[in-house]
Amino acid sequence: MEKFAVITGAGSGLGRELALQLSKQYHTLLLGRNQDKLSLVKDEIVRSNGRASFYPVDLRSKEQIELVIKELQQFPIDLVIHNAGVGHFGPFLSSSLEQLHDMFSTNVFGTIQLSKGLIPILLEQKHPTMINIISTAGLRGKKHEALYAASKFAFRGFAESLQKEFEDQVHIVNTYMGGMDTPFWDNSTHITDRSRLRSPKEVAEIILSQYMNRQEIIIESKK
Ligand SMILES: NC(=O)c1ccc[n+]([C@@H]2O[C@H](COP(=O)([O-])OP(=O)(O)OC[C@H]3O[C@@H](n4cnc5c(N)ncnc54)[C@H](OP(=O)(O)O)[C@@H]3O)[C@@H](O)[C@H]2O)c1
């Protein structure tokens, strides 16, 4: 029987890599805001004889999340990867309320609302799994990352609590990675030397080779 995996933020970076690598075993359901990016990833998967479909959704919109959950209910999804996320960095006193809202509405509220819609589908499957892409910023605070770290600590608190609540029902894996060389940094001056960042391909390979036997995966930054 065909297996289905949902990956949020699948149009670029780590989400794209996870989708490409998983598409050998799964029909991947690609979520993200930008339809063109999702469509390119789908084409790449189809060219390699994999299966993929895409569903544009802005995780900051309650209405759009409700609609996408309705569409996804037709699939027996047994893997959900919460990967979509945004980051705004810089001195705390220069940060804006808009940045705070942007990060919490995507990294926290949208992710939580989507989980509420997808966990009932996971619970109907034999061996369901949820992988949460957090960040080492969800393990410890960092200079000029106050609001981003606050959002990732919130995501971690949610994700660790779900591990306890759905113990024996859903295998939940929380992942914490350091810097990756992805479009995440394209409009930021926070990282100056991108050569020290891991590739999203390498991080996706580590996660996918370990997640079945782990509840937590920590991939520290390169020294
Ligand atoms: N890059 C790093 O150094 C690093 C380190 C640790 C953790 N992380 C985390 O890893 C995850 C993936 O990031 P990445 O590095 O691969 O960066 P990325 O290429 O920018 O990917 C983030 C994805 O999230 C999607 N997204 C953002 N806002 C969204 C929204 N409101 N609704 C739906 N989708 C949304 C984006 O797609 P659209 O543009 O189509 O919306 C994008 O494809 C994020 O959660 C990030 O916080 C990144």
Side-chain angles (χ1 to χ4, degrees):
M1 213 175 83
E2 195 172 27
K3 287 158 69 82
F4 292 87
V6 167
I7 302 148
T8 68
S12 62
L14 181 61
R16 171 181 167 276
E17 272 302 333
L18 288 165
L20 294 176
Q21 293 181 29
L22 277 168
S23 65
K24 293 172 181 65
Q25 306 140 258
Y26 283 91
H27 181 143
T28 48
L29 305 170
L30 315 172
L31 272 56
R33 281 172 304 187
N34 185 314
Q35 178 153 344
D36 294 341
K37 289 183 355 189
L38 295 173
S39 172
L40 284 173
V41 177
K42 178 189 166 172
D43 291 348
E44 229 179 314
I45 289 173
V46 170
R47 273 201 304 277
S48 322
N49 298 318
R51 297 213 57 197
S53 311
F54 62 84
Y55 298 87
V57 59
D58 187 334
L59 291 176
R60 295 170 298 185
S61 159
K62 279 191 280 196
E63 294 74 22
Q64 288 187 30
I65 297 175
E66 275 167 21
L67 285 176
V68 84
I69 288 168
K70 283 209 181 90
E71 295 207 64
L72 294 174
Q73 277 164 346
Q74 63 182 299
F75 302 111
I77 296 159
D78 68 9
L79 174 62
V80 172
I81 305 187
H82 289 298
N83 164 79
V86 286
H88 300 284
F89 304 93
F92 171 58
L93 295 180
S94 308
S95 65
S96 69
L97 269 184
E98 286 71 27
Q99 293 174 331
L100 178 65
H101 281 288
D102 194 34
M103 286 186 282
F104 269 79
S105 51
T106 303
N107 306 356
V108 186
F109 300 141
T111 300
I112 291 176
Q113 190 191 342
L114 189 65
S115 297
K116 203 160 179 199
L118 296 185
I119 288 174
I121 306 178
L122 288 176
L123 289 173
E124 287 171 9
Q125 316 310 320
K126 264 195 179 153
H127 300 292
T129 299
M130 176 190 287
I131 301 177
N132 296 310
I133 305 300
I134 307 178
S135 167
T136 49
L139 293 175
R140 50 185 184 268
K142 302 181 193 185
K143 185 178 172 185
H144 293 172
E145 299 197 12
L147 305 186
Y148 179 69
S151 76
K152 291 294 185 173
F153 267 66
F155 185 13
R156 175 185 172 193
F158 169 69
E160 285 187 354
S161 302
L162 288 192
Q163 276 179 328
K164 305 218 163 22
E165 184 167 340
F166 294 100
E167 199 179 7
D168 304 328
Q169 292 175 286
V170 183
H171 176 56
I172 299 180
V173 189
N174 297 333
T175 66
Y176 306 91
M177 61 289 299
M180 297 181 286
D181 190 5
T182 69
F184 193 77
W185 301 114
D186 283 355
N187 299 313
S188 167
T189 51
H190 188 54
I191 297 268
T192 43
D193 181 8
R194 284 172 72 148
S195 69
R196 288 184 53 252
L197 301 175
R198 288 185 196 277
S199 74
K201 183 166 187 285
E202 177 189 4
V203 173
E205 281 167 357
I206 296 172
I207 292 170
L208 296 182
S209 66
Q210 298 187 1
Y211 80 92
M212 285 192 192
N213 310 311
R214 303 278 292 271
Q215 291 205 315
E216 191 173 277
I217 299 173
I218 298 178
I219 308 167
E220 290 291 354
S221 299
K222 281 198 222 165
K223 292 283 171 259

